[in-house]
């Protein structure tokens, strides 16, 4: 028999969320909507912790004319609950732009606008999140050999706090990736730093930028730098012959459908790999055709005018970067001839993508209770719950890092609304209250209102 928790134990939350990006904002919304229409089912108590001081999503890439690459209907809620008051359309109505947006006849909002929508939605559930708090450890509470609760240690300016949970949902997002041996600095950037660091160039006259990468972010960086610094040369370096267009055709886009997740999860490993190979060009290292056409138009115009400052070093690879006090020396190697060229630039931008954070990195000894597949990857069930040893009865859910089990939508917005609904259903079906809580009544509620680690359940 599991032991009841002592009377002086901290309040236990049904769910603690780590990170508060779009995925966990959507999770908070789903929880809040569930708790307002509970009916015969118990409310789910939850709280989220976010290390940033406020909501922010790829702020360094909010270029003023960059648009979303998914339909506005794939917002935080619509595919799960089309009547939700948290939809993008409700956001537009609150901002007085609904009719203007409809007249625009466009499925793809500006990225700046969609970020504002996310902030608007996050603010409506801010009683469920504590900002400026970083989860630094998760510790199991073992009772008679069984783990039904987890202690979550959170660091803030005030010190360390410990919170207790029956379940976790990890939504820590992606991490900027640069090639091995590259160190980010004042003149060597990742594209996620672009808008923040470009301000430091104000009042200067940079003569050359080098942008490394062949995907959407790389092309956007090239276009933005070329436009903002009309006297600077912008050199794009990539191993392809040219930018490849994204396949956003109707049939190919079915890879993002909710049913496609079922198919991918059930498929043999060999078929999973085939699907990723077939449909990687819907998302990875591809560029919107309109942007490709715009960049080609600029290059051709410059050739006509005889002022070529937009250069493409294709079928090439950066083999070295050396940061100097007055700039960066970049070594570019032709993959055809092997010839190396040195480019002295004011800044080198690596638009080389992102990698998922290690989902087990925060779990400490709990990671040893998580099961792995034949390739050493964490095993994840269809409901996005990590497969664990039987004595770990807490659910640990992943919002990201599940591409090997659930497919290409893992790190994308396309399936976010459906995913959080499936996680909520899993919580409810498994029963959010544990046996050791039976002797310790806990009131319902959507989440705590306190900010200093003293929560009201």
């Amino acid at each position: 028999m599991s032991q009841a928790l002592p009377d002086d134990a901290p309040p236990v939350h049904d769910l603690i969320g780590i990170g508060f990006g779009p995925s966990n904002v959507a999770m908070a919304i789903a929880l809040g909507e569930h708790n307002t229409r509970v009916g015969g089912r118990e409310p789910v108590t939850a709280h989220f912790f976010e290390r940033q001081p406020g909501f922010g999503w790829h702020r360094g890439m909010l270029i003023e004319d960059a648009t979303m690459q998914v339909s506005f209907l794939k917002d935080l809620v619509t595919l799960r609950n089309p009547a939700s008051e948290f939809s993008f359309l409700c956001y537009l109505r609150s901002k007085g732009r609904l009719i203007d947006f409809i007249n625009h006849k466009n499925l793809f909002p500006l990225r700046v606008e969609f970020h504002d929508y996310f902030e608007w939605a996050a603010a409506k559930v801010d009683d469920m999140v504590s900002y400026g708090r970083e989860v630094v450890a998760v510790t199991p509470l073992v009772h008679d050999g069984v783990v039904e609760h987890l202690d979550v240690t959170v660091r803030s300016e005030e010190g360390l706090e410990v919170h207790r949970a029956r379940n976790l949902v990890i939504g820590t997002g992606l991490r900027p990736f640069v090639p091995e041996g590259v160190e980010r600095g004042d003149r060597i950037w990742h594209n996620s730093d672009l808008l923040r660091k470009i301000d430091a160039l104000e009042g200067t006259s940079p003569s050359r930028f080098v942008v490394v990468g062949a995907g959407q972010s790389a092309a956007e960086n090239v276009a933005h730098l070329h436009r903002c610094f009309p006297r600077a040369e912008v050199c794009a370096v990539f191993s392809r012959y040219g930018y490849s267009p994204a396949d956003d055709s109707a049939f190919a886009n079915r890879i993002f459908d909710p049913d496609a997740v079922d198919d991918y999860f059930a498929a043999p490993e060999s078929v999973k790999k085939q699907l990723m190979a077939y449909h990687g060009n819907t998302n990875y290292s591809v560029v919107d055709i309109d942007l490709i056409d715009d960049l080609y138009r600029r290059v051709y115009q410059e050739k006509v005018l005889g002022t070529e400052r937009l250069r493409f070093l294709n079928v090439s690879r950066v083999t070295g970067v050396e940061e100097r006090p007055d700039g960066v020396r970049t070594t570019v190697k032709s993959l055809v001839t092997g010839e190396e060229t040195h480019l002295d630039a004011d800044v080198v931008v690596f638009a080389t993508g992102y990698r998922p954070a290690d989902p087990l990195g925060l779990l400490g000894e709990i990671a040893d209770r998580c099961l792995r597949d034949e390739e050493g990857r964490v095993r994840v069930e269809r409901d996005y719950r990590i497969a664990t040893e039987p004595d770990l009865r807490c659910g640990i859910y992943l919002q990201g890092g599940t591409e090997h089990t659930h497919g290409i939508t893992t790190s994308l917005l396309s399936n976010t609304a459906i995913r959080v609904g499936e996680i909520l259903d899993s919580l409810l079906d498994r029963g959010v209250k544990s046996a050791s809580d039976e002797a310790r009544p806990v009131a319902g509620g959507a989440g705590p209102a306190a900010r200093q680690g003293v929560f009201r359940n």
Side-chain angles (χ1 to χ4, degrees):
M1 292 287 293
S2 296
Q3 302 171 358
L5 296 176
D7 292 338
D8 60 350
V12 180
H13 296 282
D14 297 325
L15 181 70
I16 282 180
I18 303 176
F20 205 61
S23 291
N24 270 350
V25 173
M27 189 79 242
I29 292 169
L31 290 164
E33 291 182 339
H34 164 78
N35 288 344
T36 61
R37 60 173 195 278
V38 163
R41 307 183 87 171
E42 286 192 89
V44 180
T45 61
H47 201 69
F48 297 81
F49 297 98
E50 168 57 53
R51 64 180 179 179
Q52 294 186 101
F55 180 86
W57 178 71
H58 296 305
R59 287 187 178 275
M61 283 301 295
L62 297 180
I63 296 171
E64 62 182 16
D65 60 347
T67 59
M68 296 296 295
Q69 294 171 280
V70 296
S71 165
F72 71 89
L73 293 171
K74 293 184 175 182
D75 58 19
L76 299 174
V77 295
T78 296
L79 294 184
R80 175 182 58 81
N81 176 16
S84 173
E85 65 183 56
F86 291 86
S87 70
F88 181 70
L89 292 179
C90 287
Y91 156 81
L92 288 173
R93 183 181 60 188
S94 74
K95 299 293 184 178
R97 294 199 303 268
L98 180 57
I99 299 301
D100 293 332
F101 184 84
I102 293 172
N103 289 339
H104 194 31
K105 298 181 181 179
N106 194 341
L107 289 173
F108 306 103
L110 289 169
R111 196 177 297 159
V112 171
E113 184 176 33
F114 222 63
H115 187 278
D116 191 57
Y117 158 65
F118 287 151
E119 287 188 287
W120 171 84
K124 290 167 72 71
V125 291
D126 66 355
D127 62 322
M128 299 177 70
V129 59
S130 292
Y131 291 106
R133 281 166 167 75
E134 180 181 8
V135 173
V136 294
V138 179
T139 308
L141 274 72
V142 183
H143 296 281
D144 296 335
V146 173
V147 178
E148 292 184 336
H149 299 89
L150 303 170
D151 272 355
V152 179
T153 302
V154 180
R155 181 169 57 208
S156 67
E157 291 182 355
E158 291 80 18
L160 297 178
E161 310 163 354
V162 178
H163 305 268
R164 189 158 291 172
R166 300 179 186 89
N167 301 277
L168 296 180
V169 57
I170 301 175
T172 49
L174 302 173
R175 300 290 181 265
F177 172 80
V178 294
E180 185 177 355
V182 174
E183 295 290 337
R184 293 157 68 183
D186 292 338
R187 295 180 178 273
I188 300 176
W189 306 348
H190 184 269
N191 65 275
S192 59
D193 302 321
L194 183 72
L195 295 186
R196 179 174 59 86
K197 291 203 169 187
I198 207 171
D199 291 342
L201 300 178
E202 187 175 350
T204 66
S205 298
S207 60
R208 177 182 286 153
F209 294 92
V210 174
V211 179
V212 184
Q216 180 74 19
S217 294
E220 289 176 354
N221 277 233
V222 169
H224 186 68
L225 293 169
H226 184 259
R227 180 174 62 248
C228 291
F229 297 93
R231 297 183 179 178
E233 182 180 88
V234 180
C235 300
V237 182
F238 44 79
S239 56
R240 300 184 177 199
Y241 207 81
Y243 293 123
S244 298
D247 184 355
D248 61 353
S249 58
F251 286 112
N253 274 346
R254 286 180 170 177
I255 195 68
F256 303 115
D257 290 355
D259 289 346
V261 177
D262 291 326
D263 293 338
Y264 192 93
F265 187 84
E269 188 63 32
S270 59
V271 175
K272 285 183 168 73
K273 291 178 179 178
Q274 286 179 349
L275 288 172
M276 290 302 296
Y278 291 152
H279 296 291
N281 65 342
T282 58
N283 183 63
Y284 298 118
S285 297
V286 289
V287 182
D288 287 344
I289 189 63
D290 290 345
L291 181 53
I292 294 175
D293 290 343
D294 175 61
L295 289 172
Y296 194 88
R297 178 192 57 78
R298 297 192 202 190
V299 169
Y300 187 78
Q301 182 181 41
E302 288 184 351
K303 284 187 176 182
V304 171
L305 298 176
T307 56
E308 298 180 45
R309 62 183 187 88
L310 181 54
R311 297 174 56 196
F312 291 92
L313 286 72
N314 58 0
V315 201
S316 300
R317 179 174 294 134
V318 170
T319 57
V321 287
E322 179 188 353
E323 187 165 2
R324 299 178 174 183
D326 58 346
V328 183
R329 169 152 288 193
T330 308
T331 303
V332 179
K333 181 178 181 179
S334 168
L335 299 181
V336 176
T337 66
E339 179 183 358
E340 291 190 339
T341 302
H342 297 294
L343 294 175
D344 290 324
D346 296 86
V347 170
V348 176
V349 183
F350 282 89
T352 43
Y354 296 80
R355 297 291 186 272
D358 178 7
L360 305 185
L362 289 172
L363 298 183
E365 62 184 276
I366 299 171
D368 296 333
R369 301 172 184 258
C370 298
L371 305 182
R372 296 181 179 270
D373 64 15
E374 295 80 3
E375 298 185 27
R377 303 168 300 189
V378 62
R379 279 179 48 192
V380 186
E381 306 290 357
R382 176 60 186 85
D383 59 1
Y384 299 94
R385 183 167 46 93
I386 294 177
T388 64
E389 295 176 352
D391 59 359
L392 178 58
R393 297 180 181 174
C394 304
I396 303 174
Y397 295 87
L398 298 181
Q399 298 231 57
T402 61
E403 187 176 86
H404 62 293
T405 53
H406 290 69
I408 202 169
T409 64
T410 285
S411 60
L412 308 178
L413 295 173
S414 294
N415 209 40
T416 297
I418 298 294
R419 180 173 64 240
V420 300
E422 292 174 340
I423 292 173
L424 176 57
D425 287 343
S426 174
L427 285 167
L428 297 172
D429 291 343
R430 292 177 54 245
V432 292
K433 310 299 181 187
S434 58
S436 60
D437 293 321
E438 293 176 358
R440 187 172 180 270
V442 179
R451 289 289 185 269
Q452 303 298 326
V454 181
F455 291 124
R456 223 177 26 245
N457 283 66

